[in-house]
Amino acid sequence: KLGVLYRSIHLVLNDVGIFMLLFASFFLIYGLDMYITFPRKEGQGYIPQVPSFNHAVSALQALFQLALTGELVEINLVDEDYNLQFPLETTWQSIDLVVFVAVYIGFIIVLLV
């Protein structure tokens, strides 16, 4: 009678293992892409558009929270008067922020749906 239970557990663990492998690979790809494309400038320590990505540890924590619980990362593209916070200091920083937001939306679609 335990043979059916053992076989069921074995099949479920096999499926969970495949899921975790795919989940980890997508998390690594999108996480590194988001961290690399986050707009930084030499000597500039803080970018207000995405405060949780200003440090590597808080970025990793925000991505894990998003992937595991669905808690969204805070992205501030407008200020209190609803004025866009674009452009940043350089055109390339603005392009990096647009790419970052696009990858972020892709990350949400892939890992949460």
Side-chain angles (χ1 to χ4, degrees), residues 25-68:
S25 65
F26 279 115
F27 183 83
L28 182 65
I29 290 167
Y30 278 95
L32 284 175
D33 191 21
M34 288 174 67
Y35 189 72
I36 290 169
T37 60
F38 184 70
R40 287 183 181 80
K41 183 180 170 190
E42 190 71 30
Q44 184 180 17
Y46 183 78
I47 295 182
Q49 283 81 6
V50 189
S52 61
F53 268 77
N54 284 310
H55 303 289
V57 175
S58 62
L60 186 64
Q61 179 185 3
L63 286 176
F64 268 116
Q65 286 179 344
L66 174 63
L68 299 176

Side-chain angles (χ1 to χ4, degrees), residues 84-105:
L84 283 176
Q85 292 185 1
F86 283 93
L88 295 171
E89 290 189 18
T90 66
T91 304
W92 287 109
Q93 276 186 314
S94 298
I95 291 170
D96 280 344
L97 187 61
V98 169
V99 171
F100 174 82
V101 171
V103 172
Y104 173 71
I105 291 169

